[in-house]
């Protein structure tokens, strides 16, 4: 049976793209967090923590660890709000890959691969997992370390354990986070991550950290939080290796003709992919075909490969990706912020469409169309 990294930890789905949607950007002081991700007085939470301390001691956590861990922490209302208001993402594979293997992510991935080549080669030699696959996961999970998250893990997991919707799961994460502190792998102030408790360059939750994290640098600590990504990259490779990665076998490939193995076509009318056992191993990291294709395709691009050869059909509005990019470009030129020109019509693009429609006296649906594109001119 495969080991899993973050079973039942919602909010980190492939369609959310954890590297761009579930973490608070790193590299800023905790005082820079949104107000709802800062400790807020809550007597019921305080009472829960008091009772939890007894359970933690019975689980082998020392009083000194508990005192250090909970110093300055508290209830985070924004964590509960995010947990309860998670959107059901329905991105197509085309939209997903537009983000997962964007030009920026490919360029930064190639730079990160070159910058850490010696470490990545050593990781590959030890665990048998290709360096570009590890780099691609790093890119999807935290944008190559740029978005590791600054939310205190003890506050986040204790808040979610207290909230109770998935109380048992998050109390287990909290206990394992305390074990991490007790082992000395990281100082309490540096135990940070996403709002849901995923940590480090490749976003391990505490239980997965305990199961898979390795001390690759040999300094006596499994440090996935520091700017040095070595332990995180090695831990990811160790995870994939333990879940059955076969050295010397690719994840799969795009196919445009006959294939001899398992073929999938996640988006009707779109490209087809012949996938291997290693594709299924990637899915144990995040159980989504789109995620695994995203990792594999980004890894290929990092290694010098080109874009997909196949094309995707027009979307439900009759627009191709080039049409959507053109739409975003024209909206932006008219002074309506579309949030970029990537061809993915997200919240900002739809708000820009709505604003434009209103300005023209049109029904403010927020939906694109070929007619709308034509009305914007060239």
């Amino acid at each position: 049976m495969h080991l899993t990294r973050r079973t039942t930890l919602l909010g980190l789905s492939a369609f959310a793209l954890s590297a761009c949607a579930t973490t608070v950007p790193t590299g800023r002081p905790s005082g820079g967090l949104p107000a709802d991700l800062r400790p807020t007085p809550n007597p019921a939470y305080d009472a829960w923590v008091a009772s939890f301390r007894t359970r933690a001691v019975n689980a082998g956590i020392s009083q000194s660890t508990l005192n250090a861990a909970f110093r300055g922490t508290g209830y985070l209302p924004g964590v509960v709000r995010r947990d309860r208001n998670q959107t059901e993402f329905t991105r197509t594979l085309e939209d997903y890959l537009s983000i997962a293997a964007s030009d920026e992510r490919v360029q930064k991935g190639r730079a990160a691969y070159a910058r850490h080549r010696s470490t990545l080669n050593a990781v590959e030699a030890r665990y048998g997992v290709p360096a570009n696959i590890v780099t691609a996961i790093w890119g999807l999970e935290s944008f190559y370390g740029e978005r590791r998250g600054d939310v205190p893990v003890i506050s986040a997991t204790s808040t979610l354990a207290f909230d109770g919707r998935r109380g048992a799961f998050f109390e287990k994460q909290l206990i394992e986070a305390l074990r991490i502190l007790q082992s000395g792998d990281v100082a309490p102030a540096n135990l940070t991550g996403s709002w849901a408790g995923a940590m480090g360059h490749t976003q391990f939750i505490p239980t997965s950290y305990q199961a898979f994290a390795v001390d690759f640098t040999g300094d006596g600590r499994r440090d996935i939080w520091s700017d040095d990504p070595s332990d995180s990259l090695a831990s990811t490779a160790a995870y994939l290796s333990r879940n059955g990665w076969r050295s010397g076998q690719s994840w799969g490939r795009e196919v445009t003709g006959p294939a001899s193995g398992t073929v999938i076509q996640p988006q009707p009318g779109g490209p087809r992919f012949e996938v291997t056992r290693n594709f299924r191993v990637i899915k144990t990291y995040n159980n989504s075909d789109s995620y695994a294709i995203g990792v594999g395709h980004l890894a290929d691009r990092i290694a010098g490969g080109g874009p997909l050869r196949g094309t995707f059909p027009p979307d439900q509005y009759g627009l191709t990706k080039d049409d959507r990019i053109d739409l975003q470009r024209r909206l932006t030129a008219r002074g309506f912020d579309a949030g970029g020109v990537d061809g993915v019509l997200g919240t900002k693009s739809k708000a820009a469409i709505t604003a434009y429609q209103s300005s023209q006296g049109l029904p403010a649906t927020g939906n694109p169309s070929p007619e709308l594109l034509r009305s914007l001119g060239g």
Side-chain angles (χ1 to χ4, degrees), residues 14-292:
F15 294 104
L17 274 181
S18 60
C20 62
T22 62
T23 61
V24 177
T26 190
R28 64 183 183 184
S30 59
L33 289 171
D36 67 350
L37 290 177
R38 300 178 197 171
T40 299
N42 186 319
Y45 166 85
D46 294 338
W48 183 90
V49 170
S51 65
F52 166 76
R53 281 174 169 263
T54 299
R55 298 193 295 278
V57 169
N58 291 338
I61 306 300
S62 69
Q63 288 289 356
S64 61
T65 296
L66 285 164
N67 292 338
F70 280 96
R71 189 175 297 121
T73 61
Y75 177 77
L76 307 180
V79 163
V80 174
R81 189 171 300 114
R82 286 163 177 77
D83 184 55
R84 291 181 178 174
N85 295 319
Q86 295 181 66
T87 302
E88 184 64 30
F89 290 91
T90 56
R91 288 193 182 110
T92 62
L93 177 63
E94 182 180 27
D95 278 357
Y96 183 81
L97 293 180
S98 293
I99 300 171
S102 66
D103 289 343
E104 182 184 16
R105 206 179 297 260
V106 170
Q107 291 163 5
K108 289 199 171 192
R110 289 173 178 172
Y113 184 90
R115 190 166 58 249
H116 298 280
R117 185 181 301 273
S118 61
T119 296
L120 286 162
N121 286 345
V123 167
E124 180 174 343
R126 181 175 300 183
Y127 297 104
V129 180
N132 59 323
I133 290 287
V134 174
T135 305
I137 290 176
W138 185 22
L140 289 189
E141 295 296 335
S142 72
F143 213 74
Y144 310 105
E146 292 183 16
R147 301 170 187 172
R148 283 168 269 165
D150 280 344
V151 181
V153 171
I154 298 300
S155 290
T157 54
S158 61
T159 294
L160 289 167
F162 158 72
D163 178 60
R165 190 171 79 85
R166 289 178 283 158
F169 173 78
F170 280 106
E171 182 163 328
K172 185 175 183 181
Q173 300 308 316
L174 175 58
I175 288 287
E176 295 307 322
L178 291 166
R179 292 193 201 281
I180 292 170
L181 293 177
Q182 189 157 280
S183 71
D185 280 311
V186 65
N190 295 329
L191 185 63
T192 57
S194 76
W195 66 262
M199 312 173 298
H201 289 263
T202 52
Q203 296 289 282
F204 274 14
I205 58 172
T207 48
S208 296
Y209 173 94
Q210 296 289 34
F212 303 109
V214 298
D215 173 21
F216 194 71
T217 62
D219 66 356
R221 296 181 300 119
R222 299 175 294 169
D223 186 359
I224 64 172
W225 300 271
S226 72
D227 289 340
D228 180 357
S230 299
D231 285 356
S232 280
L233 300 177
S235 297
T236 299
Y239 171 91
L240 294 174
S241 176
R242 287 186 57 189
N243 275 280
W245 186 275
R246 287 185 178 172
S247 180
Q249 184 181 80
S250 73
W251 69 273
R253 63 187 180 97
E254 182 187 9
V255 291
T256 56
S260 58
T262 300
V263 174
I264 62 173
Q265 187 180 38
Q267 184 173 339
R272 298 160 59 244
F273 303 88
E274 182 178 18
V275 299
T276 70
R277 170 191 172 95
N278 285 342
F279 177 84
R280 293 188 291 275
V281 173
I282 294 171
K283 286 182 64 176
T284 68
Y285 209 87
N286 192 319
N287 189 23
S288 159
D289 284 348
S290 290
Y291 179 85

